Amino acid sequence: MATPPRAAAWPVPQSLNDESSILVEFYFKETAVVFSCYDSPLNPFRTTVSALWENSPVMYYTLQSMAAASLTDSFPQLASMGPQLRKKAITLLEKEDAYDHKSLLALLMLGGTASWHDPRDLGLTFFNTARKRLETMSTSGNNNARFFEEALIYWEMLLSFVTDNDDLMPLKDGAYTKEYNPLRKVPHPWTGIARDCQYAVQEVGRLIRHERKLAHARNFATHARIKQLRQAMARAGELEERLLELAHPVESDVVNPEDNETPVWHLLNLAEIYRRTGLIQLYHVFPDLLQRRLPHDESADTEMRGDDTAAPSPGSDKDVSPFVHCDWLTSFALQTLELLKSIPLESGTRDFQPFLLVALCSELRIPRPETTSNTGPSLASTTTTTPSGVFPSGTVPEVSVRSIQVSRMRKVLLGRLTALLHVLPPKPIQLCLNIVKETWSQMDTAAQSGASEADDVYWMDVMIANGWETTMA
């Protein structure tokens, strides 16, 4: 439990005294909890901030701005106060001549919560500044540097799916260090125990977003474009292999974060979900990767549907039908979401799940409906409700084990995102919900007409087309 906050040791405007004390208290009671995947003395956004805020005007205004953003849905009068407090913190931060761990911590807090105030503000300036400042710090034996380096890995993973590569300051060659492996691993408040996995998923995001933006540009076929596609395919294969080879530590090798709501197995499950999500993105955008691994005969495919392995084994060179490809992806996504579902909503990891929920939504395909026969019972006046809308008269969704599984999992996914509206600052989560619902709507509309385009609907395309990029955490 946090120590009740005391009055600031330096003067604050009289008009803010009452509100500021409430916001400081709320930060330590609620906001610090959602800003880490566990809450305990190991959570620096509670303990370190608690030690700094009284003597740091930047931290004082920063934590208040975060608390105000968390409360604006219930108290609209705070809507203008949050940005004002944030602006004060930024102004003070810009005046600092030298950056230390306190300044870097403020950059993480201000940048990571930019979307809390404006859902389309990705905090890119803060990310790039933090990376530039961090590169001046030595990572050798420097625990502070290791903490910030790992925080940027998670942050960049989120950004890689929602912003173009040119907007992110690149990591210098050789600047990324392999994960430090002590006898027991201490979970990081942002990456948990998935540092290397999230770094790989970040590279997946960069590759996929670049390819989808080129697809939207409708570039003509040229030798240069063909060469670029081949390079992208080769890179996708490298990332697939990296994700397949990743292994997570066993539970006994992870330090317990001392959060009753977040045992170690939650962090292990979350790491595996990140790995699977990265593979699913690659297999959706680069279907040939999956085709070369799927068996070409349907009997073998039937056996694989119940398989809980990370990916199929290398198979025949023969073509695999789009149906088999999509069916396997749906099965794998259902398994992955079952793993996520096993983590209780009370877990501290819930606040790090929105990206995963959105990234998996476009694999939840409801089987195409069958058109009713003219000789059969008339359905002219009937409709059938689905999780994303209503099938038109004259069609009914295929009733099968798969369609029931998908329908139920859609409800689980939608329910968890909706619940997060009441836990996290709602503006970014609302955009996540928009992406999911529109993705399903487009999939179902295409499926109703029997069009194969239903299999091509992808959440990132929906997000880009509607300008719904946001920080999904």
Side-chain angles (χ1 to χ4, degrees):
M1 298 293 292
T3 303
R6 295 166 288 172
W10 44 275
V12 296
Q14 184 66 36
S15 61
L16 285 180
N17 278 344
D18 290 340
E19 292 92 341
S20 65
S21 61
I22 292 172
L23 292 175
V24 169
E25 182 177 3
F26 185 83
Y27 172 86
F28 287 107
K29 184 177 181 181
E30 300 289 344
T31 311
V33 179
V34 304
F35 212 55
S36 172
C37 62
Y38 56 82
D39 189 41
S40 72
L42 295 177
N43 177 8
F45 298 106
R46 174 180 299 285
T47 54
T48 304
V49 171
S50 179
L52 295 176
W53 74 272
E54 287 185 300
N55 298 306
S56 170
V58 171
M59 194 63 65
Y60 179 73
Y61 287 123
T62 296
L63 68 87
Q64 285 187 79
S65 72
M66 294 168 64
S70 302
L71 288 166
T72 52
D73 201 41
S74 300
F75 302 96
Q77 63 269 34
L78 294 177
S80 60
M81 181 177 291
Q84 290 174 6
L85 293 165
R86 176 180 170 81
K87 185 176 181 180
K88 288 185 177 183
I90 294 171
T91 300
L92 291 169
L93 189 62
E94 289 174 342
K95 291 179 180 178
E96 294 188 357
D97 295 329
Y99 273 69
D100 55 14
H101 73 281
K102 294 179 289 185
S103 302
L104 280 170
L105 189 64
L107 281 172
L108 293 186
M109 295 167 70
L110 288 166
T113 60
S115 63
W116 292 13
H117 304 273
D118 177 357
R120 290 178 173 81
D121 185 349
L122 303 176
L124 296 175
T125 301
F126 298 93
F127 174 85
N128 290 330
T129 301
R131 166 153 287 172
K132 182 178 180 180
R133 297 291 180 177
L134 186 58
E135 286 183 349
T136 65
M137 299 174 66
S138 171
T139 58
S140 177
N142 190 324
N143 290 331
N144 284 333
R146 288 187 178 278
F147 166 80
F148 290 114
E149 180 186 68
E150 197 154 339
L152 290 189
I153 287 173
Y154 175 75
W155 192 359
E156 186 169 13
M157 180 198 69
L158 294 178
L159 292 176
S160 69
F161 286 86
V162 298
T163 193
D164 297 339
N165 292 342
D166 293 343
D167 295 330
L168 296 173
M169 179 180 174
L171 190 67
K172 287 184 178 178
D173 291 340
Y176 175 72
T177 58
K178 285 290 185 181
E179 187 168 7
Y180 174 59
N181 290 314
L183 293 178
R184 300 188 71 203
K185 177 170 176 54
V186 178
H188 188 276
W190 282 8
T191 63
I193 53 103
R195 168 193 164 120
D196 287 347
C197 181
Q198 290 178 1
Y199 185 79
V201 174
Q202 171 257 121
E203 294 190 82
V204 170
R206 283 178 176 269
L207 176 65
I208 287 177
R209 183 171 175 91
H210 181 67
E211 286 305 304
R212 298 318 299 158
K213 288 297 289 287
L214 287 176
H216 278 262
R218 302 179 185 274
N219 290 334
F220 293 109
T222 63
H223 287 295
R225 176 58 179 144
I226 292 171
K227 180 181 178 181
Q228 192 176 45
L229 283 169
R230 286 174 176 166
Q231 292 173 338
M233 284 289 296
R235 181 59 177 155
E238 293 171 1
L239 292 172
E240 178 204 21
E241 292 294 342
R242 191 192 303 183
L243 287 168
L244 290 175
E245 292 169 359
L246 275 172
H248 310 305
V250 297
E251 187 169 347
S252 60
D253 289 340
V254 180
V255 174
N256 192 318
E258 301 177 11
D259 179 354
N260 292 333
E261 302 291 350
T262 315
V264 170
W265 71 265
H266 291 191
L267 302 176
L268 292 170
N269 276 16
L270 194 68
E272 176 61 11
I273 294 165
Y274 277 117
R275 189 174 73 92
R276 290 167 171 240
T277 299
L279 285 167
I280 287 172
Q281 307 314 300
L282 287 173
Y283 290 146
H284 191 119
V285 177
F286 300 96
D288 285 353
L289 290 178
L290 184 56
Q291 176 170 307
R292 65 187 173 88
R293 291 185 177 273
L294 282 173
H296 65 277
D297 59 286
E298 292 188 5
S299 60
D301 177 61
T302 300
E303 294 177 2
M304 284 184 56
R305 293 176 191 178
D307 188 10
D308 196 32
T309 56
S313 301
S316 168
D317 290 333
K318 294 183 179 180
D319 288 344
V320 176
S321 71
F323 170 80
V324 173
H325 176 277
C326 294
D327 192 52
W328 190 91
L329 268 181
T330 297
S331 294
F332 195 42
L334 286 170
Q335 293 172 8
T336 303
L337 285 164
E338 284 289 350
L339 194 61
L340 191 148
K341 181 184 173 185
S342 71
I343 302 175
L345 190 57
E346 295 77 21
S347 170
T349 64
R350 66 186 176 183
D351 312 314
F352 293 73
Q353 296 175 13
F355 161 72
L356 298 167
L357 294 166
V358 173
L360 293 169
C361 77
S362 44
E363 310 312 323
L364 297 183
R365 304 171 186 83
I366 289 184
R368 298 170 190 171
E370 298 176 352
T371 303
T372 56
S373 168
N374 292 334
T375 60
S378 173
L379 295 177
S381 60
T382 64
T383 58
T384 304
T385 303
T386 70
S388 65
V390 176
F391 279 109
S393 298
T395 63
V396 292
E398 177 190 342
V399 178
S400 64
V401 173
R402 173 50 52 80
S403 62
I404 291 172
Q405 289 174 331
V406 170
S407 178
R408 286 178 173 173
M409 192 54 73
R410 281 190 180 190
K411 290 179 180 179
V412 170
L413 191 156
L414 205 59
R416 186 152 291 204
L417 269 180
T418 302
L420 290 174
L421 276 174
H422 308 290
V423 177
L424 293 169
K427 292 179 180 179
I429 304 303
Q430 187 57 61
L431 285 187
C432 292
L433 282 165
N434 291 348
I435 295 168
V436 169
K437 291 178 180 179
E438 180 60 21
T439 298
W440 290 344
S441 176
Q442 290 186 21
M443 290 166 61
D444 293 346
T445 299
Q448 289 161 22
S449 63
S452 61
E453 285 80 2
D455 300 333
D456 296 331
V457 177
Y458 186 48
W459 69 270
M460 184 180 287
D461 296 338
V462 172
M463 177 184 70
I464 292 172
N466 290 278
W468 286 338
E469 286 91 344
T470 191
T471 306
M472 300 183 195

